[in-house]
Amino acid sequence: MKIALVKEIKIHEYRVALTPDDVEVLVKNSHEIFVEHNAGYETGFSDKEYEKAGALIVFDKQELFDKAEMIIKVKEPLTQEYEFFHEGQILFTYLHIAANKELALFLLNKKISAIAYETITDEKGGLPCLTPMSEIAGRLAAQEGAKYLEKPFGGRGVLLGGVPGVERGNVVIIGAGIVGLNACKMLVGLGANVIVLDISASRLAYYDDLFASKVTTLFSNRTNILKTIKNADLVIGAVLIPGAKAPKLITKDDLKLMKKNSVIVDVAIDQGGCFETSKITYHDNPTYIVNDVVHYCVANMPGAVCLTSTLALSASTLKFTLDIANKGLKKALFDDKHLLNGLNTYNGKLTNKAVAFSLNLQYEKVTF
């Protein structure tokens, strides 16, 4: 199969979807790999390394897309990239189209077979290609939240771990999935007072077993959310409904209950955000203030630690890339129901039920 590795153009997106080692594996499996000039530069991979692995470096983006049967990316295509695609191509990337109807309609109209890393499943009901980025985003959420609580960055001037004789900072994590778990690990390590809210009793029990008295767990409902954010220095939104748009759990008026110069980090921003006041920001200008609350809503948080993120991402996606390339798309989807769950659009059909519901578009089941 002819596979194109694209250089990311999203603002401050430094990751790349394939490493030179990945390219070497694909080439050994008799596939042609075309790498856009400087695709891996920001991550630390040179064109020479990709060439040594067997790739052909392409300088012209249109030529790159014209050669490709499958496009490999990290982030969803931006509007200015739409013109390069041609009908019937395979796109393998993070899509998050539940919050991006324009992109969904483009993929449908162009009849692109789009497979989203974030909706591929595994035997345990997990999301193997989303998990490593969720782990990184959760840890970064704690890190960034702690930083923006510092006075020079607009925060209250609170040290989350406190010091002897001074109380520790209060953190509320809404969502006890992978993001929430990794944020919690970091925050417990810092010595913060942490409250975790979720709708799953079994997940909360897991936190109780893991962290014991170091963390307070509460059932996530309107009453508990409002009660806990009043005393919070930092609130982390870590809600995920796979494939679907994130629910709005805190309104603009609710922010008035929070402390002045407290911080919220919305890790669900890729799926539309779980705070009413959330809007996408970028690493060069990551925060803004609404009702005296600092908002951090960077949509590609793992991009800040691009080398770690690239290695973690490619390790989880290479298996599926190989399956698609070795077997062809239809056979790969037929053989693997978990990869099939990653299929969001196919031949003009919207094939993910949660995405269709979020966008109010028709869902069409496909079989292979």
Side-chain angles (χ1 to χ4, degrees):
M1 183 176 283
K2 296 179 179 179
I3 301 169
L5 174 62
V6 178
K7 179 178 174 60
E8 301 299 320
I9 63 170
K10 188 167 188 169
I11 298 173
H12 292 286
E13 179 51 72
Y14 306 114
R15 289 172 289 181
V16 65
L18 294 173
T19 68
D21 287 345
D22 299 332
V23 168
E24 185 175 356
V25 171
L26 289 163
V27 169
K28 285 181 177 178
N29 278 265
S30 302
H31 304 296
E32 293 182 72
I33 313 299
F34 304 97
V35 175
E36 186 172 0
H37 170 55
N38 278 343
Y41 176 79
E42 298 289 358
T43 308
F45 302 128
S46 68
D47 285 353
K48 286 185 178 180
E49 289 177 274
Y50 283 109
E51 284 183 310
K52 187 177 179 181
L56 177 67
I57 304 301
V58 181
F59 286 77
D60 181 80
K61 190 179 285 285
Q62 187 62 68
E63 180 187 350
L64 180 82
F65 276 75
D66 287 345
K67 289 176 179 293
E69 298 171 81
M70 178 161 61
I71 306 293
I72 304 288
K73 290 181 89 283
V74 176
K75 293 298 292 179
E76 73 283 352
L78 302 185
T79 306
Q80 54 266 46
E81 293 176 290
Y82 292 178
E83 63 180 296
F84 299 113
F85 285 86
H86 59 75
E87 186 173 310
Q89 280 181 315
I90 302 166
L91 172 63
F92 195 27
T93 189
Y94 285 117
L95 280 176
H96 299 290
I97 57 175
N100 191 343
K101 193 169 188 177
E102 177 191 332
L103 175 58
L105 293 174
F106 163 73
L107 296 171
L108 292 170
N109 291 334
K110 204 73 172 182
K111 295 185 177 180
I112 301 295
S113 297
I115 302 166
Y117 298 150
E118 72 272 11
T119 61
I120 294 173
T121 55
D122 62 22
E123 291 293 346
K124 297 179 180 179
L127 304 169
C129 297
L130 182 61
T131 292
M133 295 305 102
S134 295
E135 290 169 340
I136 291 169
R139 295 179 187 213
L140 281 173
Q143 214 169 271
E144 298 299 326
K147 180 170 75 176
Y148 286 99
L149 272 172
E150 296 174 18
K151 194 65 176 178
F153 294 103
R156 299 188 66 234
V158 171
L159 181 65
L160 286 176
V163 292
V166 180
E167 66 180 25
R168 295 173 289 171
N170 298 314
V171 183
V172 173
I173 301 173
I174 305 175
I178 301 298
V179 170
L181 178 62
N182 281 271
C184 193
K185 287 178 180 178
M186 295 287 283
L187 292 161
V188 168
L190 287 173
N193 290 317
V194 183
I195 297 175
V196 179
L197 298 97
D198 200 273
I199 59 174
S200 168
S202 61
R203 193 65 183 169
L204 294 178
Y206 174 71
Y207 273 65
D208 279 342
D209 289 342
L210 186 63
F211 297 107
S213 59
K214 293 179 181 179
V215 170
T216 298
T217 58
L218 292 173
F219 189 77
S220 183
N221 56 36
R222 181 81 176 144
T223 299
N224 284 338
I225 289 173
L226 294 184
K227 180 175 68 175
T228 54
I229 66 172
K230 289 179 183 178
N231 296 317
D233 298 297
L234 170 63
V235 178
I236 295 175
V239 177
L240 174 68
I241 302 173
K245 198 169 182 178
K248 304 296 184 186
L249 299 178
I250 294 178
T251 69
K252 183 177 181 179
D253 284 342
D254 295 340
L255 299 182
K256 296 174 183 177
L257 299 173
M258 296 180 64
K259 299 173 183 177
K260 184 178 180 180
N261 302 126
S262 56
V263 175
I264 59 177
V265 176
D266 195 345
V267 188
I269 191 64
D270 265 339
Q271 297 290 109
C274 58
F275 305 116
E276 183 183 26
T277 47
S278 293
K279 61 182 181 182
I280 290 175
T281 60
Y282 301 92
H283 291 294
D284 59 343
N285 190 20
T287 63
Y288 59 93
I289 295 174
V290 179
N291 286 351
D292 294 323
V293 175
V294 179
H295 290 55
Y296 179 98
C297 302
V298 174
N300 61 329
M301 291 175 67
V305 287
C306 54
L307 181 54
T308 298
S309 298
T310 291
L311 295 174
L313 174 62
S314 65
S316 66
T317 58
L318 181 60
K319 170 190 178 298
F320 299 105
T321 303
L322 269 172
D323 281 349
I324 296 167
N326 288 345
K327 299 177 179 179
L329 181 61
K330 289 184 179 180
K331 182 69 162 62
L333 293 170
F334 177 81
D335 287 349
D336 188 346
K337 63 181 180 181
H338 299 297
L339 181 61
L340 181 59
N341 287 335
L343 188 68
N344 279 212
T345 65
Y346 179 78
N347 197 28
K349 299 176 181 179
L350 188 55
T351 58
N352 183 287
K353 190 176 292 185
V355 170
F357 179 80
S358 293
L359 296 177
N360 196 27
L361 294 174
Q362 184 178 352
Y363 161 72
E364 296 186 61
K365 183 177 181 180
V366 293
T367 55
F368 296 94

